[in-house]
Amino acid sequence: MARINDNYTKLPGSYLFSDIAKRVTAFTAANPDRSIIRLGIGDVTRPLAPTVIEALHTAVDEQAVAATFRGYGPELGYDFLRQKIVDVHYGRLGVKIATDEIFVSDGAKSDTGNIGDIFAADSVVAVCDPVYPVYVDTNAMSGRAGNYQSSGHWDRVHYLNCSQENGFVPEIPGPGDPVPELIYLCFPNNPTGATISAIDLKEWVDYARRHGSVIFYDAAYEAFITEDLPHSIFEIEGARECAIEFCSFSKTAGFTGIRLGFTVIPKELKINGVVLNSLWNRRQSTKFNGASYLTQRAGEAIYSEQGQREIRETIAYYQNNATIIREGLLAMGWSVFGGKNAPYIWLKTPQNLSSWDFFDLLLNKAGVVGTPGSGFGPAGEGYFRLTAFGSTDNTNMAIERIRTLF
Ligand code: PLP
């Protein structure tokens, strides 16, 4: 008889967004005349840049003619896109990356989820708490997380507490602490909107090099950085020997629907002499048939001067929303984090409400939907996430409604 991967049965179930949806549906059924403003989802709302649309149209037309038709492409990405990533994305940061260190994919979710394939099944993993749930769930699926505890933690995962006290930036494990082999870091952070300084990131890089650990650096939100902060872990000396970086076109250029991302594995990154770039190359060439030609042409388009101008305008639009939320709530005397170099605003719930009690209050009394912080891990209890990806009108209205309520 066939047997299943039992690790899947240990997963607690992804109740967060379905719970939110259920409560919103019940509310709208009971209050059909009340308008709802959704500042909970992490999806973008602005359309794709005109330059991207033009590139997509051109690529579609190429597919209609035998001479320019493209079938299977290179599994690791077309050179026209990898070269642009090298020249423009990393070039502007003064970071040297070779084209064959870049692996183009259908997004950062797949890559952050799949990267565990090339590491030992019993590796010790560290994640932040609160955390983007994909890191934890994918390790649980491969059996690396152990067993789920009633505390909301997995018994084999090493949690790095992120709190108001440490500015939501995890501290380096102390001398007696277990040494994680794989360390997930994400800055600017989802859900807290926290950023990391070059000095703090250097400490993580030094720690990883001292212990032979590998850092998985998720830079999905780097485009939202406006202050002098690292956009890439490869701006940090020594990172090429200990880090893998994940990037996404989703929030940078609104590609959440059309799907595109890339992962960078420097050739210096080795474990016992084995080059991880070669392992991931082997993994991707076997299990992945490449991002679509159309999408890669669309991705290439964001690196033209016009493309850069257009995506910057959209990012500025969301940044302005983030400022509206952040400053609106700060003016009410609330404890508010993120929203400065990030599209996420993380707030301490007023009156010490639990994350879900605050969710219900906001939904029922103000018609505003956010995300309970407890859904991102036990350390998120008592916090709440709002996103800047709505329209500016709705964002203003949501803040006005919250102000009226409190
Ligand atoms: N990484 C983080 C931290 C995210 O928040 C998200 C999406 O919300 C992703 C990765 C997924 O990116 P992509 O759309 O490229 O799969």
Side-chain angles (χ1 to χ4, degrees):
M1 189 166 66
R3 289 172 309 134
I4 57 161
N5 176 349
D6 238 349
N7 298 314
Y8 279 70
T9 63
K10 295 185 195 166
L11 291 165
S14 180
Y15 296 127
L16 179 62
F17 288 98
S18 62
D19 269 5
I20 292 174
K22 264 189 228 145
R23 291 183 198 212
V24 174
T25 307
F27 176 80
T28 44
N31 305 277
D33 302 331
R34 296 270 306 274
S35 81
I36 297 273
I37 302 175
R38 292 170 202 273
L39 298 184
I41 42 152
D43 201 355
V44 296
T45 52
R46 306 292 297 161
L48 293 169
T51 304
V52 168
I53 295 295
E54 198 182 313
L56 280 169
H57 281 300
T58 306
V60 168
D61 289 343
E62 284 174 23
Q63 295 294 80
V65 179
T68 51
F69 168 77
R70 309 265 188 148
Y72 287 125
E75 290 99 344
L76 310 177
Y78 282 101
D79 273 343
F80 63 75
L81 178 58
R82 295 165 107 191
Q83 193 62 53
K84 279 284 187 329
I85 293 168
V86 165
D87 294 344
V88 183
H89 181 87
Y90 285 108
R92 82 200 147 122
L93 303 174
V95 169
K96 285 204 167 32
I97 300 287
T99 49
D100 59 358
E101 293 174 329
I102 292 169
F103 297 85
V104 175
S105 72
D106 64 351
K109 184 177 191 175
S110 325
D111 285 1
T112 54
N114 292 329
I115 193 72
D117 276 18
I118 62 168
F119 294 90
D122 59 352
S123 302
V124 179
V125 170
V127 298
C128 292
D129 180 13
V131 67
Y132 174 55
V134 171
Y135 312 152
V136 179
D137 288 2
T138 52
N139 277 291
M141 287 169 180
S142 64
R144 212 175 268 134
N147 291 302
Y148 189 68
Q149 309 291 296
S150 55
S151 64
H153 284 151
W154 292 83
D155 61 1
R156 288 206 65 241
V157 173
H158 187 73
Y159 289 87
L160 306 164
N161 189 261
C162 294
S163 60
Q164 254 167 269
E165 287 67 43
N166 57 26
F168 303 99
V169 175
E171 281 142 39
I172 305 282
D177 294 337
V179 175
E181 296 166 274
L182 308 175
I183 303 163
Y184 290 80
L185 295 179
C186 170
F187 293 102
N189 188 264
N190 177 16
T192 66
T195 52
I196 192 165
S197 68
I199 291 172
D200 287 349
L201 192 51
K202 174 84 167 73
E203 276 194 33
W204 275 105
V205 166
D206 291 346
Y207 175 86
R209 290 176 73 196
R210 264 198 317 278
H211 293 93
S213 309
V214 174
I215 296 175
F216 298 151
Y217 196 73
D218 188 338
Y221 299 99
E222 64 77 27
F224 287 81
I225 294 174
T226 50
E227 294 177 317
D228 185 18
L229 295 162
H231 288 249
S232 162
I233 195 167
F234 299 121
E235 290 176 67
I236 308 298
E237 192 200 330
R240 287 184 61 86
E241 283 121 64
C242 67
I244 294 175
E245 179 159 281
F246 303 92
C247 295
S248 168
F249 286 67
S250 286
K251 312 300 158 70
T252 305
F255 279 40
T256 52
I258 64 172
R259 314 296 311 138
L260 194 65
F262 59 92
T263 289
V264 178
I265 310 188
K267 280 176 235 137
E268 286 92 321
L269 181 52
K270 295 178 192 157
I271 295 178
N272 289 333
V274 178
V275 178
L276 296 193
N277 180 294
S278 307
L279 287 195
W280 185 244
N281 186 327
R282 188 75 175 86
R283 192 267 175 212
Q284 288 297 81
S285 311
T286 305
K287 290 196 178 184
F288 182 60
N289 240 342
S292 87
Y293 173 69
L294 308 187
T295 317
Q296 293 190 61
R297 280 295 185 201
E300 178 193 28
I302 77 159
Y303 293 116
S304 69
E305 269 183 35
Q306 178 71 12
Q308 287 287 292
R309 245 193 323 275
E310 289 170 359
I311 63 163
R312 289 297 345 155
E313 268 173 34
T314 303
I315 292 166
Y317 178 92
Y318 295 134
Q319 281 166 331
N320 179 47
N321 290 347
T323 306
I324 292 168
I325 300 173
R326 183 185 155 79
E327 295 191 348
L329 300 180
L330 280 173
M332 292 169 60
W334 287 11
S335 297
V336 183
F337 310 92
K340 242 185 175 175
N341 298 283
Y344 296 115
I345 294 89
W346 186 245
L347 57 108
K348 179 85 197 74
T349 58
Q351 297 154 14
N352 277 331
L353 290 169
S354 75
S355 297
W356 275 111
D357 284 350
F358 183 68
F359 173 91
D360 287 333
L361 184 71
L362 220 54
L363 172 62
N364 292 306
K365 299 274 191 259
V368 174
V369 180
T371 312
S374 53
F376 299 100
E381 181 53 271
Y383 290 87
F384 202 74
R385 191 192 75 173
L386 293 174
T387 79
F389 291 123
S391 74
T392 302
D393 283 351
N394 277 348
T395 304
N396 273 316
M397 209 187 311
I399 296 304
E400 195 44 49
R401 289 187 190 181
I402 295 173
R403 201 179 286 134
T404 311
L405 178 60
F406 286 92

mmCIF file of all heavy atoms in Angstrom, residues 372-402:
data_model
loop_
_atom_site.group_PDB
_atom_site.id
_atom_site.type_symbol
_atom_site.label_atom_id
_atom_site.label_comp_id
_atom_site.label_asym_id
_atom_site.label_seq_id
_atom_site.Cartn_x
_atom_site.Cartn_y
_atom_site.Cartn_z
ATOM 1 N N PRO A 372 -3.957 39.428 12.038
ATOM 2 C CA PRO A 372 -3.538 39.254 13.433
ATOM 3 C C PRO A 372 -2.080 38.791 13.512
ATOM 4 O O PRO A 372 -1.691 37.830 12.833
ATOM 5 C CB PRO A 372 -4.483 38.159 13.952
ATOM 6 C CG PRO A 372 -5.607 38.090 12.968
ATOM 7 C CD PRO A 372 -5.039 38.511 11.653
ATOM 8 N N GLY A 373 -1.304 39.449 14.327
ATOM 9 C CA GLY A 373 0.121 39.131 14.433
ATOM 10 C C GLY A 373 0.387 37.709 14.899
ATOM 11 O O GLY A 373 1.386 37.098 14.522
ATOM 12 N N SER A 374 -0.538 37.156 15.696
ATOM 13 C CA SER A 374 -0.333 35.807 16.221
ATOM 14 C C SER A 374 -0.299 34.772 15.106
ATOM 15 O O SER A 374 0.206 33.663 15.300
ATOM 16 C CB SER A 374 -1.429 35.460 17.238
ATOM 17 O OG SER A 374 -2.702 35.676 16.661
ATOM 18 N N GLY A 375 -0.818 35.115 13.940
ATOM 19 C CA GLY A 375 -0.784 34.186 12.811
ATOM 20 C C GLY A 375 0.618 33.982 12.261
ATOM 21 O O GLY A 375 0.851 33.073 11.462
ATOM 22 N N PHE A 376 1.570 34.803 12.672
ATOM 23 C CA PHE A 376 2.950 34.696 12.174
ATOM 24 C C PHE A 376 3.877 34.041 13.192
ATOM 25 O O PHE A 376 5.090 34.024 13.005
ATOM 26 C CB PHE A 376 3.494 36.085 11.807
ATOM 27 C CG PHE A 376 2.710 36.768 10.718
ATOM 28 C CD1 PHE A 376 1.769 37.737 11.017
ATOM 29 C CD2 PHE A 376 2.914 36.430 9.387
ATOM 30 C CE1 PHE A 376 1.036 38.365 10.020
ATOM 31 C CE2 PHE A 376 2.186 37.050 8.379
ATOM 32 C CZ PHE A 376 1.243 38.019 8.695
ATOM 33 N N GLY A 377 3.282 33.553 14.298
ATOM 34 C CA GLY A 377 4.104 32.915 15.324
ATOM 35 C C GLY A 377 3.726 33.450 16.687
ATOM 36 O O GLY A 377 3.169 34.551 16.797
ATOM 37 N N PRO A 378 4.032 32.679 17.738
ATOM 38 C CA PRO A 378 3.624 33.072 19.096
ATOM 39 C C PRO A 378 4.103 34.469 19.489
ATOM 40 O O PRO A 378 3.395 35.186 20.193
ATOM 41 C CB PRO A 378 4.266 32.001 19.981
ATOM 42 C CG PRO A 378 4.392 30.810 19.086
ATOM 43 C CD PRO A 378 4.650 31.343 17.714
ATOM 44 N N ALA A 379 5.278 34.895 19.026
ATOM 45 C CA ALA A 379 5.774 36.220 19.419
ATOM 46 C C ALA A 379 4.981 37.348 18.763
ATOM 47 O O ALA A 379 5.158 38.514 19.102
ATOM 48 C CB ALA A 379 7.264 36.355 19.095
ATOM 49 N N GLY A 380 4.089 36.986 17.822
ATOM 50 C CA GLY A 380 3.265 38.016 17.170
ATOM 51 C C GLY A 380 1.998 38.319 17.952
ATOM 52 O O GLY A 380 1.252 39.238 17.593
ATOM 53 N N GLU A 381 1.723 37.541 19.009
ATOM 54 C CA GLU A 381 0.517 37.786 19.812
ATOM 55 C C GLU A 381 0.554 39.198 20.409
ATOM 56 O O GLU A 381 1.604 39.656 20.886
ATOM 57 C CB GLU A 381 0.414 36.736 20.934
ATOM 58 C CG GLU A 381 -0.809 36.886 21.823
ATOM 59 C CD GLU A 381 -2.139 36.935 21.054
ATOM 60 O OE1 GLU A 381 -2.576 38.042 20.669
ATOM 61 O OE2 GLU A 381 -2.719 35.865 20.846
ATOM 62 N N GLY A 382 -0.600 39.876 20.299
ATOM 63 C CA GLY A 382 -0.661 41.243 20.810
ATOM 64 C C GLY A 382 -0.216 42.282 19.775
ATOM 65 O O GLY A 382 -0.152 43.472 20.079
ATOM 66 N N TYR A 383 0.072 41.796 18.569
ATOM 67 C CA TYR A 383 0.458 42.707 17.470
ATOM 68 C C TYR A 383 -0.484 42.501 16.286
ATOM 69 O O TYR A 383 -1.251 41.534 16.241
ATOM 70 C CB TYR A 383 1.907 42.446 17.029
ATOM 71 C CG TYR A 383 2.914 42.880 18.065
ATOM 72 C CD1 TYR A 383 3.299 42.013 19.082
ATOM 73 C CD2 TYR A 383 3.448 44.165 18.039
ATOM 74 C CE1 TYR A 383 4.202 42.404 20.049
ATOM 75 C CE2 TYR A 383 4.354 44.569 18.998
ATOM 76 C CZ TYR A 383 4.732 43.688 20.007
ATOM 77 O OH TYR A 383 5.621 44.099 20.960
ATOM 78 N N PHE A 384 -0.357 43.407 15.331
ATOM 79 C CA PHE A 384 -1.276 43.402 14.198
ATOM 80 C C PHE A 384 -0.538 43.960 12.994
ATOM 81 O O PHE A 384 0.258 44.889 13.118
ATOM 82 C CB PHE A 384 -2.468 44.312 14.554
ATOM 83 C CG PHE A 384 -3.707 44.037 13.766
ATOM 84 C CD1 PHE A 384 -4.481 42.908 14.020
ATOM 85 C CD2 PHE A 384 -4.120 44.916 12.778
ATOM 86 C CE1 PHE A 384 -5.644 42.662 13.309
ATOM 87 C CE2 PHE A 384 -5.286 44.683 12.060
ATOM 88 C CZ PHE A 384 -6.057 43.552 12.329
ATOM 89 N N ARG A 385 -0.811 43.384 11.795
ATOM 90 C CA ARG A 385 -0.123 43.859 10.584
ATOM 91 C C ARG A 385 -1.101 44.547 9.638
ATOM 92 O O ARG A 385 -2.160 44.006 9.322
ATOM 93 C CB ARG A 385 0.527 42.672 9.855
ATOM 94 C CG ARG A 385 1.487 43.102 8.753
ATOM 95 C CD ARG A 385 1.890 41.929 7.869
ATOM 96 N NE ARG A 385 0.814 41.568 6.963
ATOM 97 C CZ ARG A 385 0.932 40.661 5.991
ATOM 98 N NH1 ARG A 385 2.066 40.013 5.816
ATOM 99 N NH2 ARG A 385 -0.093 40.382 5.198
ATOM 100 N N LEU A 386 -0.725 45.737 9.206
ATOM 101 C CA LEU A 386 -1.467 46.416 8.134
ATOM 102 C C LEU A 386 -0.530 46.553 6.947
ATOM 103 O O LEU A 386 0.692 46.676 7.119
ATOM 104 C CB LEU A 386 -1.938 47.802 8.596
ATOM 105 C CG LEU A 386 -2.994 47.805 9.718
ATOM 106 C CD1 LEU A 386 -3.260 49.242 10.189
ATOM 107 C CD2 LEU A 386 -4.302 47.154 9.261
ATOM 108 N N THR A 387 -1.084 46.534 5.739
ATOM 109 C CA THR A 387 -0.207 46.640 4.563
ATOM 110 C C THR A 387 -0.504 47.920 3.785
ATOM 111 O O THR A 387 -1.605 48.465 3.834
ATOM 112 C CB THR A 387 -0.353 45.432 3.607
ATOM 113 O OG1 THR A 387 -1.537 45.608 2.823
ATOM 114 C CG2 THR A 387 -0.431 44.126 4.364
ATOM 115 N N ALA A 388 0.512 48.333 3.048
ATOM 116 C CA ALA A 388 0.435 49.590 2.284
ATOM 117 C C ALA A 388 0.005 49.353 0.843
ATOM 118 O O ALA A 388 0.077 50.264 0.021
ATOM 119 C CB ALA A 388 1.800 50.280 2.320
ATOM 120 N N PHE A 389 -0.458 48.149 0.526
ATOM 121 C CA PHE A 389 -0.708 47.807 -0.882
ATOM 122 C C PHE A 389 -2.107 48.152 -1.372
ATOM 123 O O PHE A 389 -2.476 47.787 -2.484
ATOM 124 C CB PHE A 389 -0.442 46.309 -1.099
ATOM 125 C CG PHE A 389 1.019 45.939 -0.982
ATOM 126 C CD1 PHE A 389 1.439 44.982 -0.072
ATOM 127 C CD2 PHE A 389 1.969 46.554 -1.785
ATOM 128 C CE1 PHE A 389 2.779 44.627 0.036
ATOM 129 C CE2 PHE A 389 3.315 46.216 -1.690
ATOM 130 C CZ PHE A 389 3.716 45.253 -0.776
ATOM 131 N N GLY A 390 -2.911 48.833 -0.539
ATOM 132 C CA GLY A 390 -4.255 49.223 -0.988
ATOM 133 C C GLY A 390 -4.188 50.520 -1.788
ATOM 134 O O GLY A 390 -3.115 51.006 -2.149
ATOM 135 N N SER A 391 -5.374 51.090 -2.072
ATOM 136 C CA SER A 391 -5.390 52.393 -2.740
ATOM 137 C C SER A 391 -5.194 53.473 -1.678
ATOM 138 O O SER A 391 -5.497 53.259 -0.497
ATOM 139 C CB SER A 391 -6.717 52.599 -3.472
ATOM 140 O OG SER A 391 -7.742 52.858 -2.524
ATOM 141 N N THR A 392 -4.718 54.629 -2.112
ATOM 142 C CA THR A 392 -4.488 55.714 -1.152
ATOM 143 C C THR A 392 -5.808 56.187 -0.551
ATOM 144 O O THR A 392 -5.884 56.478 0.646
ATOM 145 C CB THR A 392 -3.726 56.872 -1.838
ATOM 146 O OG1 THR A 392 -2.511 56.329 -2.347
ATOM 147 C CG2 THR A 392 -3.426 58.003 -0.878
ATOM 148 N N ASP A 393 -6.868 56.226 -1.357
ATOM 149 C CA ASP A 393 -8.179 56.632 -0.826
ATOM 150 C C ASP A 393 -8.618 55.694 0.292
ATOM 151 O O ASP A 393 -9.047 56.138 1.361
ATOM 152 C CB ASP A 393 -9.235 56.609 -1.942
ATOM 153 C CG ASP A 393 -9.107 57.832 -2.839
ATOM 154 O OD1 ASP A 393 -8.324 58.741 -2.482
ATOM 155 O OD2 ASP A 393 -9.764 57.862 -3.896
ATOM 156 N N ASN A 394 -8.514 54.400 0.033
ATOM 157 C CA ASN A 394 -8.917 53.431 1.054
ATOM 158 C C ASN A 394 -8.032 53.512 2.287
ATOM 159 O O ASN A 394 -8.497 53.349 3.414
ATOM 160 C CB ASN A 394 -8.860 52.007 0.486
ATOM 161 C CG ASN A 394 -10.121 51.676 -0.273
ATOM 162 O OD1 ASN A 394 -11.108 52.398 -0.200
ATOM 163 N ND2 ASN A 394 -10.090 50.588 -1.020
ATOM 164 N N THR A 395 -6.745 53.745 2.065
ATOM 165 C CA THR A 395 -5.813 53.826 3.188
ATOM 166 C C THR A 395 -6.185 55.008 4.085
ATOM 167 O O THR A 395 -6.271 54.873 5.309
ATOM 168 C CB THR A 395 -4.367 53.965 2.661
ATOM 169 O OG1 THR A 395 -4.106 52.876 1.787
ATOM 170 C CG2 THR A 395 -3.354 53.963 3.791
ATOM 171 N N ASN A 396 -6.439 56.150 3.455
ATOM 172 C CA ASN A 396 -6.849 57.332 4.229
ATOM 173 C C ASN A 396 -8.143 57.062 4.987
ATOM 174 O O ASN A 396 -8.285 57.407 6.163
ATOM 175 C CB ASN A 396 -7.062 58.524 3.281
ATOM 176 C CG ASN A 396 -5.754 59.271 3.036
ATOM 177 O OD1 ASN A 396 -4.992 59.530 3.970
ATOM 178 N ND2 ASN A 396 -5.487 59.610 1.783
ATOM 179 N N MET A 397 -9.084 56.430 4.282
ATOM 180 C CA MET A 397 -10.385 56.167 4.901
ATOM 181 C C MET A 397 -10.235 55.199 6.086
ATOM 182 O O MET A 397 -10.876 55.370 7.134
ATOM 183 C CB MET A 397 -11.322 55.562 3.853
ATOM 184 C CG MET A 397 -12.795 55.877 4.098
ATOM 185 S SD MET A 397 -13.870 54.978 2.965
ATOM 186 C CE MET A 397 -13.148 55.289 1.378
ATOM 187 N N ALA A 398 -9.380 54.184 5.911
ATOM 188 C CA ALA A 398 -9.180 53.199 6.987
ATOM 189 C C ALA A 398 -8.624 53.884 8.221
ATOM 190 O O ALA A 398 -9.095 53.655 9.345
ATOM 191 C CB ALA A 398 -8.233 52.094 6.510
ATOM 192 N N ILE A 399 -7.657 54.770 8.041
ATOM 193 C CA ILE A 399 -7.048 55.446 9.194
ATOM 194 C C ILE A 399 -8.069 56.365 9.860
ATOM 195 O O ILE A 399 -8.151 56.447 11.091
ATOM 196 C CB ILE A 399 -5.774 56.208 8.763
ATOM 197 C CG1 ILE A 399 -4.712 55.222 8.270
ATOM 198 C CG2 ILE A 399 -5.215 57.076 9.890
ATOM 199 C CD1 ILE A 399 -4.344 54.133 9.273
ATOM 200 N N GLU A 400 -8.884 57.015 9.036
ATOM 201 C CA GLU A 400 -9.921 57.893 9.584
ATOM 202 C C GLU A 400 -10.907 57.082 10.431
ATOM 203 O O GLU A 400 -11.286 57.481 11.534
ATOM 204 C CB GLU A 400 -10.629 58.596 8.408
ATOM 205 C CG GLU A 400 -11.482 59.798 8.793
ATOM 206 C CD GLU A 400 -10.791 60.712 9.805
ATOM 207 O OE1 GLU A 400 -9.622 61.077 9.587
ATOM 208 O OE2 GLU A 400 -11.433 61.044 10.843
ATOM 209 N N ARG A 401 -11.278 55.923 9.923
ATOM 210 C CA ARG A 401 -12.227 55.075 10.677
ATOM 211 C C ARG A 401 -11.606 54.589 11.989
ATOM 212 O O ARG A 401 -12.282 54.538 13.014
ATOM 213 C CB ARG A 401 -12.613 53.855 9.843
ATOM 214 C CG ARG A 401 -13.513 54.175 8.661
ATOM 215 C CD ARG A 401 -13.937 52.866 8.037
ATOM 216 N NE ARG A 401 -14.602 53.035 6.767
ATOM 217 C CZ ARG A 401 -15.081 52.005 6.055
ATOM 218 N NH1 ARG A 401 -14.956 50.766 6.498
ATOM 219 N NH2 ARG A 401 -15.678 52.215 4.911
ATOM 220 N N ILE A 402 -10.328 54.234 11.951
ATOM 221 C CA ILE A 402 -9.664 53.755 13.181
ATOM 222 C C ILE A 402 -9.597 54.908 14.190
ATOM 223 O O ILE A 402 -9.851 54.729 15.382
ATOM 224 C CB ILE A 402 -8.260 53.200 12.863
ATOM 225 C CG1 ILE A 402 -8.376 51.947 11.969
ATOM 226 C CG2 ILE A 402 -7.499 52.860 14.146
ATOM 227 C CD1 ILE A 402 -7.057 51.398 11.449
#
